[in-house]
Amino acid sequence: MVVEVSPRIPSRTPVCHIVVVVPAHNEQDLLDACLTALSRAERRVVEVAPVTVSTIVVLDACTDDSASIAARHPSVSTVTVEHRNVGAARAAGFSNHTSELAATTWFATTDADTRVGEDWLLGHLRHATDGARAVAGTVSVEFEGRVEEDVRLRSTYDAHYRHELGHPHVHGANLGIRATDYLSVGGFAPLATGEDHDLVRRLELGGIACRRVCDISVTTSGRLRGRAPEGMAEFLRSLEPSA
């Protein structure tokens, strides 16, 4: 079995290694599901393509059992920081991958409250092989709370969200980039929120297009109290009807 790629665009230097970074701040309730899903995606991509995958959880000022949960996954390595800053945490995960291997490395990032699909890494690899230098995927939300609240929130979210090619969304929960391009713009900035939009903005200002795709969606928590200020939880709260 081989990876299906478009014959229209010659591939750049082949991707031989994928680095996945997951920032986590006190995510003991959701981290195991995140890493289990990533393990499935890793097995899937290495079955069909000559690549290796490194998954790194960045434990950022965790005071719960996130570290022990990450330790249950033998293919996962951890980095411990005290930033309390998602941009700095993502950057810390990629900071050891700045060598001559960058030309053949693809960086991907997701969140600790997010579950990727089995073909998530395969999809990133497919786009990279097809010539993409950066990829922004879409996010589906698994809502919490009473059923009637879920129905209203889901309906409002779906009305505001565009699951389509060329969509306008950027999520740290579903982002990939050639390592050389990531390094060329200085990587993630130490921003408490919006670090994903900031990175894509700098890429595009530098002439590096970000391909907005809808074929590698992930599922993220619909919690209304998140870790990053003005992040997904803040957006979901903004969709709630006024009292």
Side-chain angles (χ1 to χ4, degrees):
M1 193 172 185
V2 298
V3 180
E4 295 181 2
V5 299
S6 168
R8 296 176 293 106
I9 305 173
S11 64
R12 305 172 72 207
T13 304
V15 170
C16 299
H17 189 55
I18 302 172
V19 178
V20 182
V21 167
V22 184
H25 171 62
N26 290 344
E27 291 286 7
Q28 64 180 14
D29 295 334
L30 299 171
L31 183 58
D32 186 65
C34 168
L35 297 181
T36 298
L38 280 170
S39 294
R40 294 192 188 104
E42 177 180 346
R43 288 196 297 270
R44 171 69 171 146
V45 74
V46 300
E47 283 175 355
V48 302
V51 298
T52 58
V53 179
S54 299
T55 299
I56 302 163
V57 174
V58 181
L59 300 163
D60 189 4
C62 291
T63 57
D64 65 352
D65 288 333
S66 293
S68 61
I69 290 168
R72 297 175 195 166
H73 296 263
S75 65
V76 171
S77 60
T78 60
V79 174
T80 301
V81 298
E82 295 290 333
H83 298 314
R84 295 182 180 271
N85 180 293
V86 67
R90 289 195 207 277
F94 293 122
S95 63
N96 290 329
H97 299 273
T98 59
S99 69
E100 67 280 357
L101 298 178
T104 59
T105 299
W106 182 261
F107 285 167
T109 185
T110 188
D111 289 337
D113 67 336
T114 299
R115 300 190 311 276
V116 307
E118 185 178 22
D119 287 341
W120 184 67
L121 289 175
L122 192 60
H124 274 271
L125 180 62
R126 181 175 64 250
H127 285 291
T129 304
D130 196 41
R133 297 171 66 177
V135 172
T138 54
V139 167
S140 297
V141 176
E142 186 171 78
F143 290 98
E144 303 173 340
R146 297 194 304 271
V147 173
E148 58 269 27
E149 291 175 339
D150 288 355
V151 170
R152 288 197 300 270
L153 269 176
R154 184 178 300 280
S155 177
T156 307
Y157 180 80
D158 289 345
H160 284 79
Y161 201 88
R162 289 169 56 188
H163 285 282
E164 61 190 33
L165 188 65
H167 63 79
H169 312 296
V170 175
H171 305 282
N174 195 358
L175 193 61
I177 179 175
R178 279 271 181 177
T180 47
D181 293 320
Y182 174 90
L183 297 171
S184 74
V185 298
F188 282 107
L191 300 175
T193 192
E195 80 293 344
D196 40 12
H197 289 268
D198 172 74
L199 176 61
V200 169
R201 178 187 61 82
R202 284 183 283 117
L203 287 169
E204 293 180 336
L205 285 173
I208 300 168
C210 183
R211 186 179 293 186
R212 315 298 181 100
V213 303
C214 57
D215 58 348
I216 50 172
S217 183
V218 302
T219 301
T220 198
S221 165
R223 62 190 180 189
L224 300 182
R225 293 292 181 269
R227 302 297 184 262
E230 300 179 17
M232 177 63 82
E234 177 71 22
F235 172 69
L236 294 177
R237 284 201 303 275
S238 76
L239 301 180
E240 290 188 299
S242 301

